[in-house]
Amino acid sequence: NNAAQLRPAGGDAAGCVAAEGRAVGSRRSGEVAAGGPSVIGSPTETAIFRACADVLGGISEVSRLRSDTGVVFEIPFNSENKWMLTIHPTDGMPGINEPYVAMIKGAPERVLALCNGDLSGARRRAAMRALEAQMAQGRRVLCAASRSITSAEAPAGGRFEGSSAEDCNFPLSGFTFLGFFCIEDPPKPGVADAVARARAAGVSVVMVTGDHPATARAIAGRLGILEDGGGCREGDMEAQSFESFSIIEGSQLDGMLPPDGDFAAAGASSPEARAFWRDAVVRTRVFARVSPLHKQVIVQAYQHFGANGLGDIVVMTGDGVNDAPALKQAEVGIAMGIRGTDVAKDAADIILLDDDFASAVVGIEQGRLASENLQKSIMYTLCSKLPQVAPAFGEVLGIPEALSSKQVLLIDIGTDIWTAVAYAAQPPERSLMSRAPRHPRAEKMANWRVFLYSYGYIGVMQTAF
């Protein structure tokens, strides 16, 4: 499952290499094992590490290379840049005459934009074909590039500074394209069936991800989140998806965010933005390339515009630090117990010990069962109140007292309570997960149907007989 290989991607014209690897998490956070030494870290990084290990001759060779190559500066990955960068001294590196070399990896569209001098013409087209082919298969693709930094370009004393392309004190352009890392992170068995069960129960399952829209579309189609299966021809994904509103990219959301982060505030968003979100909460099934702020606003949009303006009840799942604001915003935040960060767990209401989406669907079923059994218990208890109170009104007409207060209490305590409690152990009905969910703001547990059944039907029959 953890096999990784390097193979040409896109033909000789592309001149690039794609590293393929599987990221399969074990019971320890981010641990991947393949019969040898364990690699601890995020599934993405461990997959890349193992792909490189296969090329260099083993994990020990990668470790030696890392120890021999120092790092003088680093910009960690963040959701704004969508790439990470390291700068290394070139002492001992064969074929490099400049004092430093910068290495960058991240979202292909961001990194390729920095390869402005190296990748052009037929080579760029071949690389893009390879990229689209990999993403259409649902693989997460990262792009790698490098650049030598001359003595004239390096800051005095090698004191590199900056956190983005705008504020770095060294050139962040003219990189040489190296290739793509194509990582398959397969969904767990049973997730597609769990999505189908959730949809049958009236739950709208929406994917919110930082992956590229093409990758997200393929995975969503595989899981049944997109009704059309997620298939598309190369080059027409954007036209199909955005025309149908089924997939929205994070860049589409930037102009639609409420200024103060709250849709409920008066004048918080323009009429165009409000119309956009009304359509999005109904039709969109995938939000791709989103930031942490986008995730939180998406949750708010469903809470404000969903259910025809009544507001949806939102359950958010997540495992990373970036998911914490959305987990906190949702009515129910669910964090992953194995791969989840401590920040995500602290922000969540529920922690899944097995990191399995199917467990969340089972939780929905158990919640519905508890709600339904409680409603049955309430109905049973109310049914006996009409025959108990009717004799008291009969005294007004001169009818002798039928039940004393002690007898009424004895009936309630001796019979009704224990029978009502027994409803808590009722198994689920076969149709439990095929009914539309009860919206707590539109339909209370003790509603007019409960009172009509208790007082207008069963209660009357008990009084008469």
Side-chain angles (χ1 to χ4, degrees), residues 82-327:
K82 290 185 170 55
W83 48 257
M84 68 163 294
L85 176 139
T86 56
I87 296 180
H88 310 267
T90 59
D91 300 337
M93 290 188 182
I96 301 179
N97 299 321
E98 309 301 344
Y100 300 101
V101 61
M103 310 293 294
I104 188 171
K105 82 170 188 292
E109 65 271 21
R110 297 293 183 91
V111 176
L112 289 175
L114 303 178
C115 302
N116 40 17
D118 169 69
L119 202 60
S120 60
R123 190 164 182 260
R124 174 177 285 274
R125 289 193 295 271
M128 294 305 296
R129 285 197 300 270
L131 174 63
E132 291 175 1
Q134 294 295 324
M135 292 190 298
Q137 298 178 52
R139 289 177 175 151
R140 180 177 295 118
V141 182
L142 297 179
C143 181
S146 68
R147 185 193 193 283
S148 297
I149 299 178
T150 66
S151 300
E153 294 171 333
R159 291 189 292 271
F160 294 91
E161 297 177 352
S163 59
S164 66
E166 290 73 27
D167 61 1
C168 287
N169 62 350
F170 56 92
L172 205 59
S173 61
F175 278 81
T176 299
F177 172 64
L178 299 178
F180 298 121
F181 289 102
C182 308
I183 305 166
E184 183 170 356
D185 191 359
K188 287 188 176 182
V191 174
D193 292 336
V195 171
R197 288 190 64 204
R199 292 182 60 177
V203 178
S204 297
V205 181
V206 179
M207 176 187 291
V208 183
T209 177
D211 287 338
H212 191 278
T215 301
R217 181 187 183 100
I219 296 175
R222 190 183 305 173
L223 296 178
I225 295 176
L226 284 176
E227 295 182 4
D228 62 0
C232 65
R233 300 184 302 274
E234 290 185 11
D236 68 351
M237 188 279 295
E238 182 174 341
Q240 288 186 14
S241 301
F242 293 119
E243 181 180 355
S244 64
F245 235 67
S246 60
I247 300 178
I248 291 180
E249 194 172 353
S251 58
Q252 306 288 114
L253 303 179
D254 290 334
M256 302 297 175
L257 304 179
D260 54 357
D262 185 7
F263 285 106
S269 55
S270 65
E272 293 79 9
R274 300 177 76 85
F276 170 87
W277 285 110
R278 288 191 186 95
D279 277 346
V281 299
V282 174
R283 299 163 58 187
T284 304
R285 289 296 171 264
V286 176
F287 293 90
R289 279 288 189 256
V290 295
S291 67
L293 176 59
H294 291 154
K295 293 181 181 180
Q296 185 178 13
V297 171
I298 289 168
V299 172
Q300 290 179 353
Y302 278 94
Q303 292 172 330
H304 188 74
F305 297 105
N308 295 320
L310 189 61
D312 285 321
I313 304 300
V314 181
V315 179
M316 178 74 184
T317 63
D319 57 8
V321 175
N322 293 341
D323 298 322
L327 290 172

Side-chain angles (χ1 to χ4, degrees), residues 424-435:
Q426 286 287 308
E429 297 179 8
R430 186 171 299 176
S431 62
L432 181 63
M433 290 296 285
S434 61
R435 305 172 193 166

Side-chain angles (χ1 to χ4, degrees), residues 65-73 86-91 93 101:
L65 177 64
R66 288 161 63 101
S67 62
D68 292 345
T69 307
V71 179
V72 297
F73 181 72
T86 56
I87 296 180
H88 310 267
T90 59
D91 300 337
M93 290 188 182
V101 61

